[in-house]
Amino acid sequence: MLRHGSSRNKRSRRRQSLLKAVLCLLHLLLAACGSGQAPAGSGAAGAVAPGLYAVDALAPSLQAPGIEMHLRYAERAPTGLVVHLAFYNNGPNDLAVVRGADPAAARLRGDDAEPPSAYSASLEGGIAPAGAWLAGGATNGTLTFARARGAAFTFEFPGFEAVPFRLDMPLRQAPEPAPAPVGTYTYGNGPAGGRSGQVAIERATVDERAVEIVVALPDAAEEFVDAAADVQGAVLLDSRWNQYPVAQAAAPAGDSTSPTPVSATAGTRRVALRFEGRPVGDVLLLRVPPFPLVRVPLRPGQEAAPASAVDLPPSRERRPAPVPAGDRTDSVTGEQQAIEQLVAELGRRIAARDRQGYLNAFAPEMRDEQARVFDRILALPLSDVGFTLEAGVVPDEDGQNRGAQVTLRYRAGDAAAVHTYSHDLALDLRRDADVWQITAVRGDLPFWLLGPTEARRTGAFTIFFRPLAESQLRAVEEEVAAALQQVGERLSGRVPASNVMFVTETADEFARLTGRDPARFAGVALSRYRIAPEGVTIEGSAFYINGAAFDDSRKESRQQTIAHELVHLALAEQTMPYTPVWAVEGMAIEVAEELPAETMRAAVQAGKLQGFDLAEFTARRGWGAPDQSGAETALDYAFAAYLTRYLVDRYGFDRFVAFYDSFATVPWARLEKDLPVTESEAVAESAFGTLARDLTAAQLQTAYGLDLATLERDFLAWVETEAT
Ligand SMILES: [Zn+2]
């Protein structure tokens, strides 16, 4: 019974995420930091002989439980040191949206620190593969560092533990599997063919361009009512765990008389799944949701079989053996219930201010720390702190449970206006006699779980800060007051009555909480958007001030940062994921009065106006990438600032506000067909870019009677004289 329940939950969650949940990040560039870090010449040869070197180090994600980075090997090439790396989803669950860790923010520290001079196309969308990130799936890629002097390095990738390595283990050849061998492989009576609740593999055909696998699926009605095979969600993994989504699902050749794509025989249905591309290696893994992974060897005479842990990517942690849905025992179900209750109990104990009851959920070695956390929660303006177990748990062989995925939800702020936040945590649990206890809390921890925290209400802000930063706080409060006044004057009635600000103490902490490069971002305003037919909802609006980026000499710039981010928060409800980024950033710069005159003057002198294409600029989402120096990003912000300035100068501020607001009232019927149906942030971003371009053309016409080409022409003529 519970089995049905949890399975349905999983499906409805999946459906929810298909409602295009998207995390929209609005951010401010700390332009001053960009230019100083441009690579100073490249190609300086290092002292180490050319060649390949093994590294083979794994580092866990600091933010997303179960994600691991694998530094595989390094290669001395004419272009520099090429680092071959992979990112694995070694958690128990598929992931919908992975916040984009930016490869351009990676650093190689050797004799000096260096940003990448290039990275592979596979990393352009971040570290997650396109589509949902399957448990067991990977992204493989390279980062090139043009200088990379010396033989000892530390590799830093945002959101992961740093990896020190040395070039002292030469490799004779690159550890890369050969392309999948062309041929047809048939499978008969292997274990995957006979078991109930499993996908049976009949045949695999590999050619230069695609793989076709004929499978027999268990009858949907046989076991679970909601376990119908999702053939459109089928994914193939190759020997490097690269993901290939199904391109076509059709009746197998020879079944062409069947009226439906899927042919039915007694108890099973057969379908031919086609995957485009050339996988690597001679073992493939096939997943047809909701069934477990099946190992498909491309070796004559070998049978397909349920995948085991050895088929999955390397991991620092021992992973639970994948248990087929049909084989789960009632004791597993009982343990799942016990953990579910334990996790849910935490929130109830906090609400009841029951310190001992809360601490009892933790192993003895955790209790001192958790006592401090409990006291902190009660002392801070936090409410409705609750924990929910999100996924089925499968205990390890030794009875432990590592990385149970738990959502932490809470509200912050005063009673008048609260903000809701959610965080994905991973809990490790241990069973002592019959009682489960929590032994570790990891994952995307909120500010107040990362260290001592105090909070103060200042005007319309609740500011969370570290006690050590208290001396800075008076200045921050003054700047907040000035920013509130500045933004309130231009956007009267729009400034929220309640805002939440987190002032981080260290650069690492800022990177961990925001996923942004602390060297380039002074502050980040974050909101989580969910788009659905009933409208767009927003939660978790907050801004993070990078406390380490400011000293006394930068006071004015911090105030501008606060004003800039406050504009984003003030307009969060009108700012859609398909509002052009130039309007979003242009508005913030306009109101915060940060017009980057020097950048634009230099751009005009360098002839950058000739290459400006407003339609392309309007569709652009990820500003700056792959841009190590920050120069491209600074130019994007400058164009946004001047384009907005032009519209405000020529037509007035109110008209620009109306244009900005108009994106929030685009009817669902107009959006529906163009909204991305994807769980990949990269794919969603690209679709939002196209939508932004098309909608901007329409909204410009309505608000200004202008088309994109006319605006581009008028703007360029204006900026040429304005900026010189
Ligand atoms: Zn911004």
Side-chain angles (χ1 to χ4, degrees):
M1 195 58 220
L2 189 92
R3 227 187 260 161
H4 279 215
S6 62
S7 173
R8 224 182 341 262
N9 280 344
K10 194 171 177 191
R11 295 209 120 215
S12 70
R13 271 213 318 282
R14 188 180 152 81
R15 215 167 282 134
Q16 255 180 17
S17 61
L18 281 171
L19 279 176
K20 307 109 196 171
V22 65
L23 194 74
C24 191
L25 300 165
L26 305 171
H27 50 255
L28 168 70
L29 172 82
L30 187 63
C33 279
S35 51
Q37 297 186 353
S42 59
V48 177
L52 294 161
Y53 298 89
V55 180
D56 201 25
L58 284 153
S61 165
L62 300 171
Q63 288 157 349
I67 301 296
E68 289 182 87
M69 177 176 73
H70 187 189
L71 223 58
R72 301 180 56 221
Y73 62 102
E75 185 183 357
R76 283 274 177 208
T79 49
L81 188 72
V82 182
V83 174
H84 293 255
L85 75 175
F87 296 89
Y88 306 128
N89 176 6
N90 280 329
N93 295 303
D94 303 346
L95 296 175
V97 173
V98 176
R99 265 189 280 181
D102 180 10
R107 292 290 178 275
L108 188 67
R109 295 190 191 279
D111 291 353
D112 47 20
E114 171 177 25
S117 49
Y119 53 81
S120 55
S122 57
L123 294 174
E124 256 160 30
I127 62 169
W133 196 351
L134 235 61
T139 302
N140 288 277
T142 60
L143 292 175
T144 303
F145 297 90
R147 285 175 296 163
R149 278 183 282 271
F153 301 94
T154 298
F155 180 72
E156 295 173 357
F157 196 94
F160 289 85
E161 274 182 11
V163 181
F165 69 94
R166 296 185 61 85
L167 302 184
D168 56 7
M169 282 186 288
L171 285 171
R172 208 166 298 161
Q173 61 181 46
E176 297 291 357
V182 169
T184 296
Y185 308 85
T186 54
Y187 309 91
N189 299 308
R195 295 252 288 262
S196 152
Q198 296 271 351
V199 174
I201 311 295
E202 294 188 358
R203 187 175 70 233
T205 308
V206 179
D207 66 27
E208 314 282 342
R209 287 171 298 125
V211 175
E212 189 192 70
I213 299 182
V214 176
V215 299
L217 303 165
D219 189 341
E222 204 178 68
E223 231 176 328
F224 310 119
V225 283
D226 54 358
D230 174 13
V231 292
Q232 302 300 336
V235 181
L236 193 67
L237 303 179
D238 67 13
S239 295
R240 285 291 322 147
W241 306 281
N242 294 303
Q243 295 186 189
Y244 301 82
V246 69
Q248 195 187 13
D255 290 351
S256 55
T257 53
S258 171
T260 58
V262 173
S263 69
T265 57
T268 61
R269 35 190 203 127
R270 297 174 64 239
V271 58
L273 302 169
R274 185 181 163 82
F275 303 90
E276 259 146 32
R278 184 83 187 270
V280 296
D282 59 358
V283 173
L284 305 177
L285 300 171
L286 174 69
R287 163 90 173 276
V288 183
F291 303 103
L293 275 175
V294 182
R295 179 179 200 271
V296 184
L298 304 176
R299 297 167 185 162
Q302 284 197 13
E303 286 299 343
S308 69
V310 296
D311 296 312
L312 296 174
S315 173
R316 289 225 304 201
E317 303 198 13
R318 281 206 304 143
R319 65 175 81 244
V323 176
D327 288 358
R328 289 193 186 214
T329 62
D330 284 346
S331 76
V332 170
T333 313
E335 282 169 351
Q336 160 129 0
Q337 272 176 320
I339 293 174
E340 225 165 68
Q341 279 171 10
L342 176 85
V343 166
E345 193 67 18
L346 292 170
R348 288 196 287 271
R349 298 294 181 187
I350 293 168
R353 309 177 78 86
D354 175 1
R355 196 170 192 259
Q356 195 52 52
Y358 174 84
L359 293 179
N360 285 344
F362 293 88
E365 68 269 23
M366 292 278 292
R367 288 186 188 162
D368 280 353
E369 182 199 338
Q370 285 302 317
R372 288 192 292 275
V373 168
F374 182 88
D375 294 344
R376 196 181 297 151
I377 291 171
L378 262 54
L380 290 170
L382 304 174
S383 52
D384 298 344
V385 180
F387 299 79
T388 317
L389 184 69
E390 289 296 344
V393 291
V394 180
D396 225 332
E397 296 126 43
D398 58 0
Q400 299 214 23
N401 190 301
R402 295 187 181 83
Q405 299 207 347
V406 167
T407 302
L408 160 62
R409 289 193 183 78
Y410 72 96
R411 295 165 182 268
D414 59 15
V418 289
H419 294 260
T420 307
Y421 299 89
S422 59
H423 292 257
D424 300 327
L425 307 184
L427 301 189
D428 293 349
L429 299 118
R430 181 173 71 211
R431 192 171 51 182
D432 193 7
D434 265 353
V435 180
W436 283 98
Q437 290 184 324
I438 299 164
T439 55
V441 180
R442 299 179 285 123
D444 167 29
L445 303 180
F447 185 85
W448 47 268
L449 260 180
L450 283 171
T453 305
E454 288 178 19
R456 191 180 290 177
R457 172 85 192 206
T458 298
F461 273 86
T462 304
I463 304 176
F464 290 81
F465 61 98
R466 303 287 176 223
L468 283 174
E470 188 160 8
S471 58
Q472 276 191 38
L473 209 68
R474 177 175 293 276
V476 170
E477 285 181 309
E478 282 169 12
E479 290 152 21
V480 162
L484 280 167
Q485 189 178 354
Q486 184 182 7
V487 175
E489 277 169 13
R490 288 300 286 282
L491 295 168
S492 73
R494 306 287 280 263
V495 177
S498 170
N499 304 279
V500 172
M501 178 192 282
F502 298 100
V503 181
T504 62
E505 190 182 356
T506 64
D508 282 352
E509 181 177 73
F510 180 79
R512 178 168 180 164
L513 286 164
T514 65
R516 298 280 143 175
D517 181 354
R520 282 168 58 182
F521 290 88
V524 179
L526 295 175
S527 296
R528 194 184 284 259
Y529 288 82
R530 186 175 292 280
I531 307 171
E534 42 302 353
V536 176
T537 52
I538 300 172
E539 62 162 47
S541 291
F543 68 78
Y544 291 86
I545 293 292
N546 180 358
F550 299 99
D551 55 32
D552 291 345
S553 66
R554 307 272 307 277
K555 189 164 167 290
E556 192 186 337
S557 113
R558 183 169 62 193
Q559 181 178 319
Q560 279 188 329
T561 299
I562 293 171
H564 179 113
E565 302 304 332
L566 186 59
V567 174
H568 288 323
L569 291 187
L571 298 177
E573 288 188 24
Q574 287 75 39
T575 307
M576 299 294 113
Y578 39 82
T579 305
V581 181
W582 66 256
V584 176
E585 294 306 332
M587 175 68 97
I589 294 167
E590 172 72 19
V591 174
E593 296 174 3
E594 317 166 283
L595 201 67
E598 277 309 316
T599 307
M600 187 48 91
R601 194 170 297 132
V604 171
Q605 279 162 10
K608 299 274 188 192
L609 295 189
Q610 279 73 15
F612 182 76
D613 177 337
L614 181 57
E616 184 269 334
F617 188 56
T618 303
R620 190 111 57 84
R621 303 290 299 176
W623 281 19
D627 168 29
Q628 301 87 38
S629 70
E632 284 294 316
T633 316
L635 188 61
D636 284 345
Y637 275 79
F639 271 114
Y642 274 84
L643 197 50
T644 302
R645 189 86 275 282
Y646 168 71
L647 286 169
V648 172
D649 188 60
R650 172 100 190 257
Y651 302 98
F653 185 66
D654 291 348
R655 192 113 72 117
F656 186 71
V657 172
F659 166 69
Y660 193 105
D661 287 346
S662 71
F663 289 89
T665 54
V666 174
W668 174 256
R670 166 67 188 86
L671 298 173
E672 195 175 15
K673 70 179 170 56
D674 291 332
L675 279 177
V677 181
T678 175
E679 300 186 18
S680 151
E681 197 180 7
V683 175
E685 282 293 293
S686 151
F688 283 133
T690 308
L691 191 55
R693 187 192 60 209
D694 296 348
L695 290 175
T696 299
Q699 307 305 90
L700 272 178
Q701 198 59 251
T702 309
Y704 291 102
L706 286 170
D707 57 43
L708 281 170
T710 307
L711 174 58
E712 179 185 296
R713 191 196 61 212
D714 295 352
F715 162 67
L716 288 173
W718 174 85
V719 79
E720 183 138 32
T721 51
E722 188 70 16
T724 44

